[in-house]
Amino acid sequence: FAIAKHRMPLFGPLTTLAVSISFWGMFAGIRRTQQLSIPLAFFQTIRGTIYMLHWVLVMGTTTARLAMRPKRLKWMKTLHEGNQEVIAG
């Protein structure tokens, strides 16, 4: 919306901080656990960050879709029918 309205983004600095902290943590974790060189760990971190960012779109669209669709389920009490005999064990 900030781009469409030609205004400064309000959450841009907060988003940048959150992504930077996530990026740094992922980079440190990859370096520690996989013992990779810095360029390869950096590449893996970029791939991981892109993967994690795509979930923002997935969750947003799923939430919007669930909010817009009409409710189709009718929750009713289940009627239990059948033989009422108790089986002695």
Side-chain angles (χ1 to χ4, degrees):
F1 287 114
I3 293 171
K5 291 187 172 197
H6 304 292
R7 296 185 179 177
M8 292 294 293
L10 294 176
F11 294 111
L14 184 61
T15 303
T16 303
L17 179 66
V19 171
S20 298
I21 291 172
S22 173
F23 188 88
W24 174 76
M26 199 180 302
F27 180 77
I30 288 172
R31 286 278 292 156
R32 186 178 306 136
T33 59
Q34 296 185 8
Q35 312 269 320
L36 298 176
S37 66
I38 290 177
L40 192 54
F42 187 75
F43 176 70
Q44 291 288 8
T45 304
I46 290 173
R47 286 182 59 206
T49 302
I50 291 170
Y51 173 77
M52 294 305 286
L53 285 175
H54 105 279
W55 282 107
V56 174
L57 297 173
V58 170
M59 291 300 192
T61 55
T62 302
T63 302
R65 190 178 73 223
L66 290 174
M68 300 293 201
R69 280 186 175 171
K71 186 175 122 180
R72 292 188 290 178
L73 293 175
K74 302 270 184 191
W75 293 94
M76 298 170 43
K77 184 175 179 179
T78 304
L79 298 175
H80 296 282
E81 298 179 6
N83 192 355
Q84 298 295 326
E85 293 179 26
V86 177
I87 300 173

